[in-house]
């Protein structure tokens, strides 16, 4: 079976996701294997306009690709990734984790839980979970339950 390459899809409904997959150097098949989903599922996320994954999959895709889920699916949140808060750039892993934590916290503090959708809340929870795992890794701790 040949690997499905993301370089030349017939249609691209989500160019952000397509670009992130290409930038990560992955095929649709490799991403699907990492996520334990069908290759057809990844193809649909990329090729069908407006197609969005479940929140748990959006967070997992973002983690594998090393990006924020809202960058891949901005319509899943009221947060506008075109205008992120000012963040100084640095190569430090600790600074990167702090920046990610700060962004996740700013988003969460801006959520009106009385009107937020379950998908939006799940994305926030996933982003916070990913951030906490990163912080624990930096501290040399394991991410599992105690």
């Amino acid at each position: 079976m040949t690997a499905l390459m993301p370089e030349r899809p017939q249609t691209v409904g989500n160019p952000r996701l397509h670009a992130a997959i290409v930038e990560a150097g992955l095929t649709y098949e490799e991403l699907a294997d990492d996520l334990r989903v069908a290759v057809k599922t990844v193809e649909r996320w990329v090729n069908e306009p407006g197609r969005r994954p479940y929140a748990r999959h959006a967070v997992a895709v973002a983690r594998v690709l090393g990006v924020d889920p809202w960058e891949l699916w901005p319509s899943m949140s009221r947060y506008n990734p075109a205008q992120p808060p000012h963040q100084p750039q640095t190569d430090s892993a600790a600074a990167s984790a702090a920046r990610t934590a700060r962004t996740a916290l700013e988003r969460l503090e801006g959520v009106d839980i009385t009107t937020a959708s379950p998908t939006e809340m799940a994305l926030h929870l996933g982003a916070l979970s990913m951030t906490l795992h990163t912080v624990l890794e930096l501290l040399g701790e394991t991410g599992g339950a105690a």
Side-chain angles (χ1 to χ4, degrees):
M1 179 164 145
T2 60
L4 300 173
M5 296 301 292
E7 285 80 14
R8 292 196 179 277
Q10 292 179 340
T11 61
V12 176
N14 187 337
R16 293 170 184 200
L17 177 58
H18 173 74
I21 293 170
V22 170
E23 187 174 311
L26 295 174
T27 64
Y28 294 166
E29 187 174 72
E30 290 167 332
L31 180 59
D33 286 346
D34 285 348
L35 301 171
R36 295 186 176 102
V37 299
V39 175
K40 193 72 176 165
T41 299
V42 173
E43 291 174 346
R44 287 181 182 133
W45 293 338
V46 173
N47 298 327
E48 294 180 14
R51 176 70 81 146
R52 300 183 319 193
Y54 292 114
R56 70 180 183 275
H57 287 139
V59 171
V61 169
R63 185 175 204 164
V64 168
L65 298 177
V67 298
D68 188 282
W70 288 278
E71 291 175 26
L72 301 174
W73 293 281
S75 63
M76 293 181 103
S77 173
R78 288 185 298 256
Y79 172 75
N80 182 359
Q83 298 175 346
H86 174 70
Q87 299 170 345
Q89 296 299 313
T90 179
D91 292 331
S92 163
S96 177
R99 223 177 18 257
T100 302
R102 198 174 306 111
T103 300
L105 185 58
E106 287 171 359
R107 287 184 186 145
L108 188 60
E109 288 174 343
V111 172
D112 179 354
I113 62 171
T114 62
T115 60
S117 71
T119 298
E120 184 177 2
M121 294 302 292
L123 282 169
H124 286 296
L125 182 59
L128 288 173
S129 174
M130 185 170 56
T131 300
L132 291 173
H133 280 283
T134 302
V135 169
L136 287 173
E137 288 173 14
L138 288 171
L139 297 173
E141 301 287 328
T142 61

